mmCIF file of all heavy atoms in Angstrom:
data_model
loop_
_atom_site.group_PDB
_atom_site.id
_atom_site.type_symbol
_atom_site.label_atom_id
_atom_site.label_comp_id
_atom_site.label_asym_id
_atom_site.label_seq_id
_atom_site.Cartn_x
_atom_site.Cartn_y
_atom_site.Cartn_z
ATOM 1 N N ALA A 233 45.919 56.776 88.066
ATOM 2 C CA ALA A 233 45.015 56.039 88.945
ATOM 3 C C ALA A 233 44.756 56.798 90.238
ATOM 4 O O ALA A 233 43.593 56.875 90.668
ATOM 5 C CB ALA A 233 45.672 54.691 89.286
ATOM 6 N N ILE A 234 45.823 57.335 90.868
ATOM 7 C CA ILE A 234 45.583 57.907 92.225
ATOM 8 C C ILE A 234 45.270 59.411 92.192
ATOM 9 O O ILE A 234 44.130 59.793 92.474
ATOM 10 C CB ILE A 234 46.874 57.727 93.100
ATOM 11 C CG1 ILE A 234 47.257 56.194 93.119
ATOM 12 C CG2 ILE A 234 46.591 58.154 94.517
ATOM 13 C CD1 ILE A 234 46.140 55.287 93.601
ATOM 14 N N PRO A 235 46.148 60.280 91.704
ATOM 15 C CA PRO A 235 45.759 61.700 91.658
ATOM 16 C C PRO A 235 44.598 62.077 90.749
ATOM 17 O O PRO A 235 43.787 62.927 91.060
ATOM 18 C CB PRO A 235 47.054 62.457 91.210
ATOM 19 C CG PRO A 235 48.134 61.460 91.510
ATOM 20 C CD PRO A 235 47.590 60.107 91.283
ATOM 21 N N VAL A 236 44.511 61.379 89.586
ATOM 22 C CA VAL A 236 43.444 61.756 88.579
ATOM 23 C C VAL A 236 42.148 61.010 88.900
ATOM 24 O O VAL A 236 41.132 61.648 89.150
ATOM 25 C CB VAL A 236 43.958 61.473 87.134
ATOM 26 C CG1 VAL A 236 42.771 61.781 86.192
ATOM 27 C CG2 VAL A 236 45.144 62.343 86.851
ATOM 28 N N SER A 237 42.193 59.669 88.835
ATOM 29 C CA SER A 237 40.940 58.901 88.984
ATOM 30 C C SER A 237 40.355 58.939 90.355
ATOM 31 O O SER A 237 39.102 58.856 90.534
ATOM 32 C CB SER A 237 41.188 57.399 88.643
ATOM 33 O OG SER A 237 41.416 57.284 87.260
ATOM 34 N N ILE A 238 41.168 59.135 91.438
ATOM 35 C CA ILE A 238 40.665 59.135 92.769
ATOM 36 C C ILE A 238 40.584 60.557 93.317
ATOM 37 O O ILE A 238 39.538 61.099 93.657
ATOM 38 C CB ILE A 238 41.511 58.256 93.689
ATOM 39 C CG1 ILE A 238 41.402 56.768 93.176
ATOM 40 C CG2 ILE A 238 40.982 58.352 95.196
ATOM 41 C CD1 ILE A 238 42.221 55.824 93.939
ATOM 42 N N MET A 239 41.765 61.227 93.387
ATOM 43 C CA MET A 239 41.823 62.568 94.133
ATOM 44 C C MET A 239 41.027 63.627 93.412
ATOM 45 O O MET A 239 40.288 64.381 93.950
ATOM 46 C CB MET A 239 43.278 62.922 94.349
ATOM 47 C CG MET A 239 44.039 62.008 95.272
ATOM 48 S SD MET A 239 45.814 62.447 95.398
ATOM 49 C CE MET A 239 45.768 64.155 95.970
ATOM 50 N N ALA A 240 41.243 63.736 92.052
ATOM 51 C CA ALA A 240 40.524 64.798 91.284
ATOM 52 C C ALA A 240 39.062 64.609 91.297
ATOM 53 O O ALA A 240 38.299 65.515 91.464
ATOM 54 C CB ALA A 240 41.083 64.815 89.879
ATOM 55 N N VAL A 241 38.599 63.320 91.173
ATOM 56 C CA VAL A 241 37.175 63.064 91.231
ATOM 57 C C VAL A 241 36.555 63.490 92.564
ATOM 58 O O VAL A 241 35.447 64.036 92.656
ATOM 59 C CB VAL A 241 36.867 61.625 90.910
ATOM 60 C CG1 VAL A 241 35.420 61.302 91.150
ATOM 61 C CG2 VAL A 241 37.268 61.291 89.378
ATOM 62 N N GLN A 242 37.290 63.102 93.640
ATOM 63 C CA GLN A 242 36.731 63.468 95.010
ATOM 64 C C GLN A 242 36.721 64.964 95.211
ATOM 65 O O GLN A 242 35.838 65.503 95.806
ATOM 66 C CB GLN A 242 37.558 62.762 96.062
ATOM 67 C CG GLN A 242 37.511 61.257 96.054
ATOM 68 C CD GLN A 242 36.096 60.720 96.089
ATOM 69 O OE1 GLN A 242 35.633 60.086 95.170
ATOM 70 N NE2 GLN A 242 35.389 61.009 97.149
ATOM 71 N N LEU A 243 37.750 65.659 94.751
ATOM 72 C CA LEU A 243 37.744 67.139 94.871
ATOM 73 C C LEU A 243 36.573 67.719 94.044
ATOM 74 O O LEU A 243 35.957 68.660 94.482
ATOM 75 C CB LEU A 243 39.088 67.753 94.292
ATOM 76 C CG LEU A 243 40.299 67.494 95.197
ATOM 77 C CD1 LEU A 243 41.548 67.909 94.497
ATOM 78 C CD2 LEU A 243 40.164 68.310 96.523
ATOM 79 N N TRP A 244 36.313 67.164 92.890
ATOM 80 C CA TRP A 244 35.222 67.627 92.077
ATOM 81 C C TRP A 244 33.914 67.473 92.785
ATOM 82 O O TRP A 244 33.042 68.389 92.756
ATOM 83 C CB TRP A 244 35.255 66.928 90.744
ATOM 84 C CG TRP A 244 34.072 67.220 89.817
ATOM 85 C CD1 TRP A 244 33.200 66.367 89.346
ATOM 86 C CD2 TRP A 244 33.795 68.463 89.166
ATOM 87 N NE1 TRP A 244 32.289 66.979 88.486
ATOM 88 C CE2 TRP A 244 32.652 68.277 88.415
ATOM 89 C CE3 TRP A 244 34.343 69.725 89.252
ATOM 90 C CZ2 TRP A 244 32.032 69.317 87.661
ATOM 91 C CZ3 TRP A 244 33.831 70.767 88.531
ATOM 92 C CH2 TRP A 244 32.645 70.580 87.759
ATOM 93 N N LEU A 245 33.663 66.340 93.378
ATOM 94 C CA LEU A 245 32.421 66.055 94.078
ATOM 95 C C LEU A 245 32.292 66.958 95.333
ATOM 96 O O LEU A 245 31.182 67.414 95.673
ATOM 97 C CB LEU A 245 32.433 64.573 94.515
ATOM 98 C CG LEU A 245 32.329 63.560 93.392
ATOM 99 C CD1 LEU A 245 32.482 62.129 93.931
ATOM 100 C CD2 LEU A 245 31.008 63.710 92.664
ATOM 101 N N PHE A 246 33.458 67.242 96.000
ATOM 102 C CA PHE A 246 33.425 68.191 97.091
ATOM 103 C C PHE A 246 32.983 69.586 96.689
ATOM 104 O O PHE A 246 32.160 70.264 97.347
ATOM 105 C CB PHE A 246 34.824 68.245 97.701
ATOM 106 C CG PHE A 246 35.032 69.314 98.765
ATOM 107 C CD1 PHE A 246 34.423 69.132 99.994
ATOM 108 C CD2 PHE A 246 35.717 70.447 98.469
ATOM 109 C CE1 PHE A 246 34.624 70.216 100.956
ATOM 110 C CE2 PHE A 246 35.914 71.485 99.413
ATOM 111 C CZ PHE A 246 35.376 71.316 100.726
ATOM 112 N N LEU A 247 33.458 70.017 95.487
ATOM 113 C CA LEU A 247 33.064 71.323 95.006
ATOM 114 C C LEU A 247 31.619 71.354 94.542
ATOM 115 O O LEU A 247 30.916 72.338 94.785
ATOM 116 C CB LEU A 247 33.998 71.694 93.798
ATOM 117 C CG LEU A 247 35.468 71.918 94.132
ATOM 118 C CD1 LEU A 247 36.290 71.919 92.816
ATOM 119 C CD2 LEU A 247 35.632 73.228 94.883
ATOM 120 N N LEU A 248 31.173 70.193 93.903
ATOM 121 C CA LEU A 248 29.752 70.141 93.535
ATOM 122 C C LEU A 248 28.799 70.198 94.682
ATOM 123 O O LEU A 248 27.767 70.812 94.597
ATOM 124 C CB LEU A 248 29.568 68.828 92.763
ATOM 125 C CG LEU A 248 30.084 68.799 91.272
ATOM 126 C CD1 LEU A 248 29.824 67.430 90.681
ATOM 127 C CD2 LEU A 248 29.444 69.834 90.433
ATOM 128 N N ARG A 249 29.145 69.554 95.786
ATOM 129 C CA ARG A 249 28.290 69.557 96.967
ATOM 130 C C ARG A 249 28.105 70.981 97.510
ATOM 131 O O ARG A 249 27.044 71.315 98.037
ATOM 132 C CB ARG A 249 28.844 68.661 98.053
ATOM 133 C CG ARG A 249 28.700 67.117 97.697
ATOM 134 C CD ARG A 249 29.050 66.336 98.886
ATOM 135 N NE ARG A 249 29.062 64.827 98.601
ATOM 136 C CZ ARG A 249 30.120 64.149 98.444
ATOM 137 N NH1 ARG A 249 31.355 64.744 98.528
ATOM 138 N NH2 ARG A 249 30.071 62.900 98.143
#
Side-chain angles (χ1 to χ4, degrees):
I234 308 302
V236 177
S237 291
I238 299 177
M239 294 174 60
V241 171
Q242 295 307 117
L243 286 171
W244 176 242
L245 295 172
F246 172 72
L247 293 167
L248 284 177
R249 287 191 186 103

